[in-house]
Amino acid sequence: MGGYEYVSAEQLAGFDKYKYSAVDSNPLSLYVMHPFWNTVVKIFPTWLAPNLITFSGFLLLVFNFFLMAYFDPDFYASAPDHEHVPNKLWVIVGLLNFVAYTLDGVDGKQARRTKSSTPLGELFDHGLDSWACMFFVVTVYSTFGRGPNGVSVFVLYLLLWVVLFSFILSHWEKYNTGILFLPWGYDISQVTISIVYIVTSIVGVEAWYEPFLFNFLYRDLFTTMIIGCALTVTLPMSLHNYYKGYSSNTLKHDSIYEAMLPFLSPVLLFVLCTVWIFQSPSDILETHPRLFYFMVGTAFANISCRLIVCQMSSTRCQPLNWMLLPLALALLVIMSGLVQRYETLLLYLLTGIITLAHIHYGVGVVSQLSKHFNIRPFSLRKPNSD
């Protein structure tokens, strides 16, 4: 990738010392999904690389995203008096979402089964998960849409950020405690989303128009579940785990500033994007919601990946992500009023730059770590075994 090395020598040394440490206390995961995954993993041949399983699951989510982008580009397809997404497609989307979730659950088991566990595998898995957050949130939005019985694109934007911050919270925990506490919300959300897709294929999107309890609509349940899970489960458990590390004097960072450093870039990304929404002369979120979500989710994924590299290598988190600079410059240009007619073009250009840069970063890091550990990312054969 142009010879540029994203992972420093200090970080490579940290990866050499890395030991996986995670806690999964979710009853759904422990008593339902893990036994299921233990059965499923036996289907895969022992020559199949775990990273290939991980990447396949991610591509299924990407496929769902673009499938819905074709049939529901502006999130109006589920609104009354609009042409709905064909019911049979919801079956496909639901099954692919569950398969993607299953593949994400068995990749680690395949690694242990084939004795091919490496720090790269964990980084690859969680790095793709950080990008996948945007894909599955935006895709499920099409079941309700933004009609009179749906939620506005701005509310979905805020819900997307709730999910994104919930994701980075678990890696903030690990950055400070050295232990990855797997969030309960992920397993619950993936099973629920898959069920919602299948139910939609049976009853149609019209079923979501009706209130399910008094005047409480399904869209309100959708919103309440995301926010409620974050505020009553994810956040309290993260704070509790951090406090346990503080009480036992096992935290990796002493100062509050160092402990909170991973939040600086995500918060700035949220602020810049939100200011853009409110200052937009063409009401950019209303006119191009899917593209705006994609830009936000991709920039967030890059921030998350860099944090994961730092926490796995026990190195200091970078205070600022460089992707904030072109975003800030774009915002200044927009607020100046000089390119009012070209705001959409600017969004496309910025999204393209961020996406290509993130892919370049991902491929570069995978290539560098593959070379460092003398492995192939998508094969169990050693490079020198040919």
Side-chain angles (χ1 to χ4, degrees):
M1 296 299 291
Y4 189 85
E5 296 187 341
Y6 289 101
V7 185
S8 67
E10 180 188 5
Q11 289 173 332
L12 289 175
F15 273 110
D16 287 334
K17 303 173 185 175
Y18 177 75
K19 299 294 182 183
Y20 179 68
S21 178
V23 174
D24 188 356
S25 57
N26 183 2
L28 174 62
S29 176
L30 292 175
Y31 302 113
V32 179
M33 298 315 304
H34 275 294
F36 172 67
W37 294 333
N38 287 334
T39 301
V40 171
V41 75
K42 297 175 184 177
I43 299 174
F44 297 115
T46 53
W47 53 259
L48 184 62
N51 287 343
L52 196 57
I53 297 174
T54 305
F55 193 53
S56 298
F58 173 75
L59 289 180
L60 293 180
L61 295 179
V62 175
F63 176 81
N64 275 352
F65 175 85
F66 284 104
L67 183 66
M68 284 297 106
Y70 178 79
F71 285 95
D72 184 22
D74 300 319
F75 304 107
Y76 279 117
S78 293
D81 303 322
H82 284 74
E83 184 179 356
H84 299 327
V85 174
N87 284 357
K88 61 183 179 182
L89 282 180
W90 291 118
V91 177
I92 297 173
V93 172
L95 292 176
L96 291 184
N97 188 86
F98 187 77
V99 171
Y101 168 53
T102 300
L103 294 179
D104 189 43
V106 303
D107 52 4
K109 295 182 182 297
Q110 176 74 351
R112 289 184 286 274
R113 179 173 173 239
T114 57
K115 297 180 174 57
S116 59
S117 298
T118 65
L120 174 60
E122 181 183 345
L123 174 62
F124 190 72
D125 184 7
H126 296 158
L128 290 180
D129 286 344
S130 68
W131 206 359
C133 289
M134 177 274 299
F135 288 115
F136 73 73
V137 170
V138 177
T139 301
V140 77
Y141 183 34
S142 289
T143 58
F144 302 95
R146 55 169 168 167
N149 299 299
V151 297
S152 71
V153 289
F154 183 70
V155 169
L156 196 279
Y157 168 76
L158 296 178
L159 293 177
L160 173 61
W161 270 108
V162 171
V163 173
L164 296 181
F165 271 113
S166 296
F167 175 86
I168 209 166
L169 202 58
S170 62
H171 291 282
W172 168 78
E173 286 180 68
K174 188 174 183 181
Y175 179 74
N176 284 283
T177 65
I179 302 172
L180 179 64
F181 296 92
L182 300 175
W184 284 27
Y186 174 69
D187 296 288
I188 297 171
S189 66
Q190 290 305 301
V191 172
T192 302
I193 287 172
S194 299
I195 292 174
V196 166
Y197 288 143
I198 300 300
V199 171
T200 302
S201 72
I202 298 172
V203 302
V205 295
E206 297 86 355
W208 307 123
Y209 298 165
E210 303 298 326
F212 79 98
L213 182 65
F214 303 113
N215 292 321
F216 201 67
L217 299 175
Y218 283 99
R219 67 175 185 194
D220 303 318
L221 178 63
F222 171 69
T223 304
T224 302
M225 285 182 63
I226 293 177
I227 298 176
C229 184
L231 294 180
T232 62
V233 180
T234 305
L235 181 59
M237 290 184 69
S238 292
L239 295 177
H240 174 67
N241 293 329
Y242 180 85
Y243 179 75
K244 285 198 302 183
Y246 173 79
S247 300
S248 60
N249 198 30
T250 57
L251 293 178
K252 301 175 70 175
H253 305 282
D254 296 328
S255 71
I256 293 296
Y257 173 76
E258 291 295 333
M260 302 301 290
L261 200 57
F263 289 128
L264 182 57
S265 284
V267 169
L268 287 177
L269 177 64
F270 171 75
V271 170
L272 289 172
C273 292
T274 305
V275 171
W276 186 350
I277 291 171
F278 283 107
Q279 296 296 320
S280 172
S282 63
D283 206 355
I284 196 69
L285 186 62
E286 287 289 334
T287 54
H288 298 282
R290 189 178 291 273
L291 184 63
F292 199 88
Y293 298 147
F294 185 89
M295 182 271 293
V296 171
T298 305
F300 172 85
N302 191 262
I303 292 171
S304 298
C305 286
R306 292 174 186 269
L307 169 61
I308 295 169
V309 168
C310 291
Q311 51 103 328
M312 290 184 66
S313 60
S314 297
T315 54
R316 187 173 185 263
C317 176
Q318 299 170 330
L320 295 174
N321 186 291
W322 74 265
M323 288 187 181
L324 298 173
L325 179 59
L327 178 58
L329 292 176
L331 182 58
L332 286 176
V333 171
I334 291 167
M335 294 177 67
S336 70
L338 297 176
V339 293
Q340 183 171 343
R341 292 189 302 169
Y342 302 103
E343 185 180 12
T344 298
L345 178 61
L346 189 61
L347 176 60
Y348 272 96
L349 181 61
L350 181 63
T351 303
I353 292 172
I354 289 175
T355 303
L356 290 176
H358 182 53
I359 292 174
H360 188 279
Y361 174 80
V363 174
V365 169
V366 170
S367 299
Q368 193 177 350
L369 288 179
S370 296
K371 181 179 179 181
H372 179 74
F373 289 113
N374 192 35
I375 58 175
R376 296 179 186 268
F378 298 116
S379 173
L380 296 182
R381 296 175 62 189
K382 294 292 183 180
N384 56 5
S385 65
D386 294 336

